[in-house]
Amino acid sequence: MVELPVTLFQTIEMLVRKPPASEFAGVTVMPGKRGGAAAFMLAFAALLASSLLFPGPKARDAVASNFKRGMGISHVMAWAPVERGAPTNFVYPPFSYPNPAFTNELKELRRVGFDFVRFAVDPGPFLQWQDSRRDDLDRMLIEKVQQILSCDLSVVVDFHPSDMNPDYLGEKIATGAEVPLFRQYVRLLARTATTLGALNSPRVALEIMNEPPPRSDVWQPMLNAAYGAVRQSAPKLWLVLDGGEGGNLEGTTQLDAFTNDSNILFSFHYYRPWQFTHQGLAGMAAQYLTDVPYPARERPMQESIEATAATIAGANLTSTQKRQVEAAAREALESYRASSFDRATIKQDFDTIARWAGQHLVPMQRIILGEFGAMNNEQRGLATRQSERLRWFSEVREEAEAHGFAWATWVHSGSIGFSLTKRAERPALDPAIVKALGLE
């Protein structure tokens, strides 16, 4: 494959790109119009990008990046507990994970080959508290950022709404650009951006919001407002942007208006096929799915249908509920088998993102697979075909790297099922997962 130097993309971008209509809050961000020779050059660039969709190693390496191989961290500041009997009041102080244990975990991540962490932070306490308590939270966050940097790891500060407090769910925060709670959230982002920007480090990034729940068209004006406020506070800080609809790849391809900003990482999450990655997760459509194969035709689906039926039979459900759940589960499993989901499907999905990036002259290193993971039901005392789970991790990671994307897997510990430690309650990473991620 012919390699197109990144410098040529950059030269074309300088000639044809205009800055967003405004970089300030309250003004809609719109891509600039182009005409004449500039339009011709843009068309020429798009043609080259489409024919050279995946730049070669030299081109990829020409774009400096401190964010290549990452681990999600949720057990330190992502789950702020609430008071017993007062579910809308956070416990103070909300976060108390011991620094020595965290340092040891960070050093181990760096040792095996990770170069950044995606550090999940519950915004709820930052929104609820003011004055001295709020100042304490700001100090705590910046201390954690500095702790991560001191272990030779880059960091994405990921504001990650949790479900611990019903007043601060993602659905409550992201209800509209003019809603008071969202405007308060924007002020939180701007304040945090100022603090992070003062570090003047290319190894620090701020993620606007994890998996924004609204549709892309509803999320867009909120993202415009957040982006404008953050850029006013920290013009050069690395930002991570997620599209609407829960951060899926379709939402990411709606972020055209921000492609002129060279200090943005465009994020998408990948948990396909959900029948496999979320099997056994309570509260989800895949809650009762059991022994689901990967790839979809790796084994007879009847094995999973029978195992799922046994799980449902032992569930605390009425007879009517069991019949309904079993019918829905069978339909989900048969649909999955009919999809023939395998590595080729993953490649096709990632091609979609890469095509969008190529069309908008976004270097592939600025696309980040911000989350991917699959349930390990052994942590809950249930059977898991580890060879298939490890194959899924390996193939998703390999496809991300083949496309030139950065990636961050989910999650280190503290989340039973998705934890990548050998045991959910212990800090040592599962060596098999480390190998599947191409590390050590």
Side-chain angles (χ1 to χ4, degrees), residues 68-79 109 114 116-123 156-163 207 209-211 242 246 267-272 277-278 281 284 368-376 379 389-390 392-394 396-397 406-421 429-430 433-434 437 439:
K68 295 180 181 178
R69 299 174 298 275
M71 171 66 78
I73 298 287
S74 69
H75 62 287
V76 179
M77 289 187 70
W79 303 99
L109 290 175
F114 291 96
F116 79 97
V117 299
R118 182 169 174 262
F119 188 65
V121 179
D122 188 343
V156 174
V157 175
D158 158 38
F159 276 114
H160 201 112
S162 79
D163 58 2
E207 186 163 0
M209 180 181 281
N210 173 70
E211 297 186 353
D242 300 68
S267 173
F268 73 101
H269 294 181
Y270 199 78
Y271 289 99
R272 297 177 180 174
T277 63
H278 280 62
L281 183 60
M284 304 293 287
I368 178 171
L369 170 54
E371 275 189 28
F372 66 105
M375 283 285 286
N376 177 9
Q379 293 176 356
R389 177 171 170 266
L390 294 171
W392 182 89
F393 269 99
S394 180
V396 171
R397 186 266 306 173
W407 54 261
T409 190
W410 186 261
V411 59
H412 182 275
S413 55
S415 179
I416 294 178
F418 281 100
S419 297
L420 299 179
T421 51
L429 289 175
D430 184 345
I433 284 290
V434 172
L437 294 174
L439 301 173

Side-chain angles (χ1 to χ4, degrees), residues 342-372:
D342 60 8
R343 181 169 182 160
T345 315
I346 299 169
K347 180 182 182 301
Q348 290 169 7
D349 286 339
F350 289 10
D351 284 352
T352 299
I353 289 284
R355 188 175 301 109
W356 173 83
Q359 290 168 349
H360 294 279
L361 308 181
V362 175
M364 297 301 165
Q365 295 86 337
R366 291 205 287 115
I367 304 297
I368 178 171
L369 170 54
E371 275 189 28
F372 66 105

Side-chain angles (χ1 to χ4, degrees), residues 30-84:
M30 294 295 291
K33 295 183 179 179
R34 306 166 179 84
F40 170 78
M41 294 191 72
L42 182 61
F44 174 67
L47 179 62
L48 286 173
S50 63
S51 63
L52 301 169
L53 192 55
F54 313 121
K58 292 181 181 178
R60 290 199 295 268
D61 292 344
V63 178
S65 174
N66 294 296
F67 307 92
K68 295 180 181 178
R69 299 174 298 275
M71 171 66 78
I73 298 287
S74 69
H75 62 287
V76 179
M77 289 187 70
W79 303 99
V82 295
E83 294 179 1
R84 181 173 297 181

Side-chain angles (χ1 to χ4, degrees), residues 71-384:
M71 171 66 78
I73 298 287
S74 69
H75 62 287
V76 179
M77 289 187 70
W79 303 99
V82 295
E83 294 179 1
R84 181 173 297 181
T88 60
N89 293 334
F90 288 108
V91 172
Y92 183 83
F95 309 114
S96 58
Y97 196 74
N99 281 335
F102 189 36
T103 294
N104 289 337
E105 292 162 3
L106 294 171
K107 288 181 177 179
E108 178 64 9
L109 290 175
R110 190 69 188 97
R111 186 191 69 78
V112 301
F114 291 96
D115 54 47
F116 79 97
V117 299
R118 182 169 174 262
F119 188 65
V121 179
D122 188 343
F126 291 81
L127 295 170
Q128 184 170 95
W129 290 329
Q130 305 300 321
D131 303 323
S132 61
R133 288 189 172 188
R134 173 59 191 278
D135 292 339
D136 287 345
L137 287 177
D138 287 343
R139 282 192 293 270
M140 184 181 298
L141 177 56
I142 199 66
E143 286 171 2
K144 294 301 181 187
V145 169
Q146 291 171 328
Q147 185 177 5
I148 294 166
L149 293 173
S150 72
C151 294
D152 194 28
L153 290 160
S154 300
V155 55
V156 174
V157 175
D158 158 38
F159 276 114
H160 201 112
S162 79
D163 58 2
M164 300 295 286
N165 187 323
D167 285 353
Y168 299 100
L169 302 173
E171 292 83 355
K172 290 284 186 70
I173 297 172
T175 53
E178 300 303 321
V179 173
L181 182 59
F182 185 76
R183 296 180 70 175
Q184 186 183 355
Y185 184 76
V186 169
R187 290 192 292 272
L188 161 62
L189 291 170
R191 178 169 168 168
T192 304
T194 299
T195 305
L196 296 177
L199 296 174
N200 195 30
S201 173
R203 296 169 58 198
V204 176
L206 173 63
E207 186 163 0
I208 298 294
M209 180 181 281
N210 173 70
E211 297 186 353
R215 298 192 321 268
S216 294
D217 60 324
V218 177
W219 172 238
Q220 184 70 43
M222 288 181 274
L223 182 56
N224 289 349
Y227 172 84
V230 168
R231 274 292 172 250
Q232 197 168 30
S233 299
K236 297 299 181 181
L237 179 67
W238 277 104
L239 300 182
V240 177
L241 301 188
D242 300 68
E245 303 175 57
N248 64 29
L249 58 90
E250 289 80 10
T252 303
T253 60
Q254 303 301 311
L255 297 175
D256 304 17
F258 304 95
T259 56
N260 295 304
D261 188 334
S262 59
N263 280 16
I264 285 179
L265 299 171
F266 295 93
S267 173
F268 73 101
H269 294 181
Y270 199 78
Y271 289 99
R272 297 177 180 174
W274 62 267
Q275 294 95 331
F276 177 78
T277 63
H278 280 62
Q279 58 182 302
L281 183 60
M284 304 293 287
Q287 176 172 349
Y288 298 104
L289 301 188
T290 307
D291 196 26
V292 181
Y294 175 79
R297 294 182 177 270
E298 178 70 7
R299 296 180 279 111
M301 192 60 71
Q302 187 61 30
E303 294 179 3
S304 183
I305 291 173
E306 293 174 358
T308 298
T311 298
I312 295 170
N316 185 22
L317 300 170
T318 66
S319 298
T320 299
Q321 289 172 329
K322 287 180 179 180
R323 287 194 297 271
Q324 293 172 340
V325 169
E326 187 169 354
R330 177 183 286 271
E331 181 179 356
L333 292 170
E334 291 176 345
S335 173
Y336 172 46
R337 180 169 178 79
S339 74
S340 299
F341 193 104
D342 60 8
R343 181 169 182 160
T345 315
I346 299 169
K347 180 182 182 301
Q348 290 169 7
D349 286 339
F350 289 10
D351 284 352
T352 299
I353 289 284
R355 188 175 301 109
W356 173 83
Q359 290 168 349
H360 294 279
L361 308 181
V362 175
M364 297 301 165
Q365 295 86 337
R366 291 205 287 115
I367 304 297
I368 178 171
L369 170 54
E371 275 189 28
F372 66 105
M375 283 285 286
N376 177 9
N377 283 298
E378 280 187 0
Q379 293 176 356
R380 302 188 309 131
L382 303 175
T384 294

